[in-house]
Amino acid sequence: MVTAAVVTALAWPDGTDSTDDGAGGNDRTTPTASVSPSPTAAQNALPASWVGTWKGTGPGSPSGDGIVNARTNRVAVTVTLHAADRGEIVGRQVSHVTEDGTGRDLGCTETLRLRETHGTSMVFEAVSSAPTDPSAGVICQRGNLYTLTKTGAETLTLGNEGSQTTGSPSRLIRSS
């Protein structure tokens, strides 16, 4: 069980937190309460510094088994983000995953929702997903999760715990 206490501090019109005890003007002063700030809209929104297009290229995974995990020789990712609050659609992710040997594009294009905000890290959820190349016969699933961390003014780092393809880029660089 979690118990939380809320403390309210009153400010009187004269700017003090004094109260009249009703005994002929004998004021007593109430100590100012220390209250932790509640989450604000800004803390639940994608920071403005994240808005834009971010790109990266990874080596792919030539050691895939070719059955469950494709053998790939390149993974190019473009993430486009716009202003949004937590729970809203925030952008999209387009991946081009090049199959080794055939050159077929096995990537998916996903619509992203801002799922969680954690200061310099954000968690995105794919709410829709479709093959980047519809003729490739790839099945893309929604619900993938991606954690990105802002590690520089122009750099986002992709967390290892997400749903990314093996051999995806570990960093995305701002392109616009």
Side-chain angles (χ1 to χ4, degrees):
M1 173 190 290
V2 176
T3 304
V6 177
V7 178
T8 305
L10 298 175
W12 296 99
D14 66 357
T16 68
D17 58 352
S18 297
T19 58
D20 183 347
D21 66 3
N26 293 330
D27 287 346
R28 65 176 181 251
T29 302
T30 308
T32 304
S34 174
V35 178
S36 297
S38 61
T40 64
Q43 292 171 325
N44 286 315
L46 185 74
S49 63
W50 288 62
V51 173
T53 301
W54 305 81
K55 296 181 178 185
T57 303
S61 179
S63 62
D65 61 19
I67 299 168
V68 175
N69 298 305
R71 290 183 185 104
T72 60
N73 58 27
R74 183 173 190 265
V75 178
V77 174
T78 301
V79 175
T80 304
L81 301 172
H82 58 78
D85 289 331
R86 189 172 47 138
E88 295 179 341
I89 300 301
V90 69
R92 75 181 194 152
Q93 179 275 137
V94 178
S95 64
H96 294 282
V97 181
T98 307
E99 185 176 43
D100 200 17
T102 68
R104 214 169 41 137
D105 185 350
L106 306 177
C108 296
T109 297
E110 299 171 317
T111 301
L112 301 175
R113 173 177 34 222
L114 182 57
R115 181 175 172 146
E116 298 175 26
T117 61
H118 302 285
T120 60
S121 294
M122 305 288 156
V123 178
F124 302 92
E125 178 183 11
V127 294
S128 71
S129 187
T132 301
D133 176 1
S135 69
V138 175
I139 298 172
C140 298
Q141 298 179 53
R142 65 183 180 154
N144 289 331
L145 297 177
Y146 305 98
T147 300
L148 292 172
T149 301
K150 192 124 191 293
T151 53
E154 305 296 317
T155 307
L156 298 177
T157 301
L158 185 60
N160 291 328
E161 70 281 359
S163 303
Q164 61 272 13
T165 299
T166 302
S168 289
S170 59
R171 294 181 331 155
L172 302 176
I173 305 299
R174 182 188 300 276
S175 67
S176 69

